[in-house]
Amino acid sequence: MAAPKKGRRSPGGQGRPGRVLALILIAMVALTGGMFASGHTTPRLGIDLAGGTSFTLEAKNQPGKPNAINKTNMDTAVGIIERRVNGLGVTEAEVQTQGSKHIIVNIPRGTNAKQARQQVGTTAQLGFRPVLTATAGIKAPEPTPGSSADKGKGKQDKGDKSGDKSADKNKPSGSPSTSASPQGRPVTDALKADGTPTPQATASVSDGKKDDAKQDGAKKDDKKAPTPTPTPGTGDVAALQKQLDALDCSTKESRSKANEAASLAKPTDPIVACRKDGSVKEILGPVAVEGTAIKDANAVFDAQGGKGWLVQLKFDSSGAKKFAQVTGQLAGKPSPQNQFAIVLDGEVVSDPSVSTSIVGGQAEISGGFTQESAQDLANVLSYGALPLSFDVVTEQSVTAALGGEQLRAGLIAGAIGLALVVLYLVIYYRGLALVALASLGCSAVLTYTIMVLLGPAIGFALNLPAVCGAIVAIGITADSFIVYFERIRDEIREGRTLRPAVERGWPRARRTILVSDFVSFLAAAVLFIVTVGKVQGFAFTLGLTTLLDVVVVFLFTKPLMTILARRKFFASGHPWSGLDPQRLGAKPPLRASRRRPSATVDPKEA
């Protein structure tokens, strides 16, 4: 009874090798089907194979900030630059640090290199702007002559209140921060109005996305301090309203164009901008507080107050005065004119509402944040005070032709190496070479389909070092087969038949294979973590193929050997099977017992 239990515990044991083979075959079919279903049948190519432009940026300390170049600031800068490049419609760009003060930006072909250089080489602009009006992020339909919209517009110009009521019908739905967002006349009123509410002591603002309809009821006093918003002419107001109506924030491309146009505006000019998610478009007043006035910004969890995740701000002395002034002016106004927008490079990353004046230079933004969204906003605010600027020190164009030639050379070298491996297997292992070749084919299918699917999934791009990693993996995978084959041949040398030799040789071969692959995977993981750039492609591919080697050996090679051990060609030790006992020098006494099994021999070994 002991022997059958061991057989059942053996992975891929003699009883169910077909099921294990069916499992990996189903996985191969599923991955191949997923590859064709996704519409991607070739791996995404890196910049060295597809061509493009590579920039090297060098960080510079600003005057009075000698220790600004550190890992935190550099990582924040990478995130901002990556967001800028992606704003150009680039989905395959690589932005990463190199050393302590350099950032490498690789942009594939098809991107305007001049525009990309301008985007990555300029310092980010962060500012707080008051929200003058807001509406849904879609483009407003153009009214037809004689329509009710034209009539409503005429009534608004005359000061008729019915025009305001008709405008309320156009406000966006499902957006609490703009639930009371009027259009048309309120733009003129917000730009021309003077007024400051009575300041009240507080140190918090609420996120406009959560609830900006509730106010503390502070009354306006038009005769007190004037709003910092300048009074443009009627033509400026009409132009802003026209831009707002024409703006469409529902697509990434239109938002990128709007953000670029807004980022080029002067701090003293009103702008039209999109909220980050594209749900709302807004007219914003001039910059009331510069981002450089922020001393610190952190995401914290408020367990006692029950506010959940929030962002705490701290301003310098000048920024504290300006922030107290602008929040005092916004508090008590109807939504959305009680909101201020946090604008980074022309994009509204948040637009919280203000209930009372905030004095003391400290504030917190709360309302429906998750840990990730709070941390993202804190990073953006921190970047406003980031005392770094970047110079483009090198700009290099990479042609696809050069990468193609190198790729062909690498593939030729890989084909020669594979041919030599196959030749060695055929000469030395004969029939067992078929098992090795089938296993290599299985590994190739899994590797190729996974690489293709990882392109759209995580942005994996196949570059030359990654191709090298795949070629190196051929030797690692073949080495696993050789270890198993040699264990089987050792058992046959001891005089055992093939079926028990396959099962007895597997545990020792399995340990050796796992240890060897673990070392290779550990080396690949360390290389991936400590390096940057194209070397990471080599490490990623090496780690992926090492994991697949374990999968193939356990779920394909071992079950296939179990099945072949039952076939006469291999079980009888045919000279071309690679398992001929005489050629391997098997011990005669055990060979005799194999021909005439006694009653003490396990029936499964007979």
Side-chain angles (χ1 to χ4, degrees):
M1 296 299 291
K5 289 182 180 180
K6 289 183 179 180
R8 286 195 296 268
R9 286 197 300 267
S10 177
Q14 294 184 7
R16 302 178 180 177
R19 296 185 183 182
V20 181
L21 277 178
L23 179 64
I24 194 169
L25 292 177
I26 291 173
M28 292 170 60
V29 171
L31 288 172
T32 305
M35 180 182 68
F36 284 101
S38 67
H40 300 274
T41 56
T42 56
R44 205 185 79 179
L45 300 180
I47 187 173
D48 52 357
L49 298 178
T53 306
S54 178
F55 300 96
T56 301
L57 308 180
E58 183 178 3
K60 300 287 187 180
N61 283 319
Q62 292 184 0
K65 304 289 185 179
N67 300 318
I69 301 179
N70 54 56
K71 186 178 185 303
T72 301
N73 288 345
M74 292 292 289
D75 290 343
T76 304
V78 166
I80 297 298
I81 293 174
E82 186 173 20
R83 194 172 63 87
R84 282 182 171 191
V85 174
N86 290 335
L88 298 174
V90 181
T91 58
E92 302 176 3
E94 299 176 358
V95 183
Q96 52 205 345
T97 58
Q98 186 175 69
S100 60
K101 62 177 183 178
H102 290 91
I103 293 178
I104 306 298
V105 183
N106 294 325
I107 302 175
R109 64 179 178 178
T111 305
N112 189 320
K114 181 178 179 181
Q115 185 183 17
R117 180 189 178 96
Q118 181 182 6
Q119 288 287 336
V120 303
T122 56
T123 304
Q125 299 295 326
L126 176 70
F128 295 81
R129 292 175 177 265
V131 178
L132 305 182
T133 190
T135 186
I138 59 175
K139 182 178 180 180
E142 297 182 1
T144 57
S147 64
S148 59
D150 288 341
K151 296 178 182 179
K153 181 178 180 181
K155 292 181 180 180
Q156 289 177 357
D157 294 338
K158 296 178 182 179
D160 194 328
K161 296 182 179 179
S162 62
D164 294 340
K165 293 180 180 179
S166 64
D168 287 341
K169 296 179 181 180
N170 295 326
K171 65 187 180 182
S173 59
S175 178
S177 61
T178 58
S179 59
S181 301
Q183 294 182 351
R185 176 172 176 159
V187 179
T188 307
D189 293 343
L191 287 172
K192 293 183 177 180
D194 293 333
T196 302
T198 304
Q200 300 180 18
T202 184
S204 66
V205 295
S206 61
D207 191 344
K209 297 178 184 178
K210 184 69 177 177
D211 186 9
D212 58 2
K214 297 182 180 180
Q215 306 294 337
D216 288 349
K219 298 181 178 180
K220 295 182 180 179
D221 186 357
D222 293 341
K223 297 181 180 180
K224 291 189 178 182
T227 177
T229 304
T231 305
T234 305
D236 295 334
V237 175
L240 287 171
Q241 184 64 56
K242 187 176 181 180
Q243 292 178 32
L244 183 69
D245 293 339
L247 181 59
D248 184 9
C249 298
S250 60
T251 64
K252 182 178 179 180
E253 291 75 13
S254 60
R255 289 197 300 272
S256 298
K257 293 180 180 179
N259 295 341
E260 182 181 0
S263 65
L264 297 177
K266 297 179 180 179
T268 55
D269 294 339
I271 63 172
V272 177
C274 296
R275 189 186 284 175
K276 187 175 182 178
D277 59 3
S279 62
V280 174
K281 55 184 178 180
E282 301 169 328
I283 296 181
L284 309 176
V287 175
V289 183
E290 297 284 351
T292 53
I294 300 175
K295 293 179 61 177
D296 193 18
N298 296 291
V300 297
F301 185 77
D302 181 19
Q304 296 180 350
K307 297 180 181 179
W309 283 100
L310 50 86
V311 179
Q312 292 181 341
L313 303 176
K314 183 182 293 185
F315 294 89
D316 58 21
S317 58
S318 175
K321 293 178 181 178
K322 293 180 180 179
F323 195 70
Q325 182 183 12
V326 69
T327 53
Q329 293 165 352
L330 297 179
K333 289 186 177 183
S335 178
Q337 296 170 16
N338 68 333
Q339 297 173 221
F340 66 83
I342 302 171
V343 185
L344 176 66
D345 285 343
E347 181 183 66
V348 178
V349 295
S350 183
D351 49 4
S353 60
V354 181
S355 57
T356 55
S357 176
I358 301 173
V359 296
Q362 295 186 0
E364 63 182 30
I365 303 175
S366 62
F369 283 114
T370 63
Q371 180 179 2
E372 182 179 1
S373 61
Q375 187 62 59
D376 289 343
L377 179 56
N379 289 340
V380 168
L381 294 171
S382 297
Y383 191 80
L386 189 63
L388 287 179
S389 61
F390 293 91
D391 294 336
V392 180
V393 294
T394 62
E395 178 180 347
Q396 180 183 6
S397 296
V398 181
T399 63
L402 177 61
E405 293 176 0
Q406 294 174 340
L407 177 62
R408 282 191 293 273
L411 293 178
I412 292 174
I416 294 174
L418 179 62
L420 292 176
V421 170
V422 172
L423 182 62
Y424 170 79
L425 291 173
V426 171
I427 294 176
Y428 191 75
Y429 289 106
R430 301 191 178 188
L432 287 178
L434 298 176
V435 180
L437 294 178
S439 300
L440 285 173
C442 177
S443 179
V445 172
L446 293 176
T447 302
Y448 183 82
T449 55
I450 291 176
M451 282 185 176
V452 172
L453 293 174
L454 286 179
I458 65 173
F460 172 75
L462 186 66
N463 52 26
L464 285 174
V467 175
C468 294
I471 294 174
V472 171
I474 296 175
I476 296 177
T477 305
D479 181 66
S480 298
F481 309 148
I482 292 174
V483 169
Y484 186 31
F485 294 161
E486 287 301 320
R487 292 297 186 187
I488 295 174
R489 288 154 69 101
D490 285 343
E491 294 296 328
I492 293 177
R493 290 187 182 97
E494 295 294 327
R496 294 183 177 85
T497 57
L498 181 58
R499 292 178 64 178
V502 166
E503 297 305 317
R504 291 177 64 91
W506 172 243
R508 289 189 294 172
R510 177 180 61 200
R511 287 193 296 269
T512 305
I513 293 170
L514 288 176
V515 171
S516 175
D517 284 344
F518 175 77
V519 173
S520 298
F521 182 80
L522 183 62
V526 172
L527 191 63
F528 183 84
I529 294 173
V530 302
T531 58
V532 296
K534 296 180 177 63
V535 180
Q536 285 187 328
F538 172 84
F540 182 86
T541 307
L542 182 61
L544 174 64
T545 51
T546 301
L547 290 177
L548 291 179
D549 175 48
V550 176
V551 173
V552 170
V553 171
F554 274 68
L555 301 183
F556 186 84
T557 308
K558 169 57 173 62
L560 183 60
M561 278 302 306
T562 301
I563 293 175
L564 293 179
R566 301 171 182 175
R567 300 297 181 263
K568 183 178 180 181
F569 178 79
F570 288 94
S572 63
H574 191 280
W576 283 98
S577 67
L579 299 169
D580 180 16
Q582 184 177 359
R583 191 164 179 265
L584 294 176
K587 294 181 179 181
L590 291 181
R591 284 176 55 85
S593 63
R594 177 171 59 84
R595 289 192 300 268
R596 293 185 297 276
S598 63
T600 59
V601 176
D602 189 341
K604 296 186 72 175
E605 296 188 3

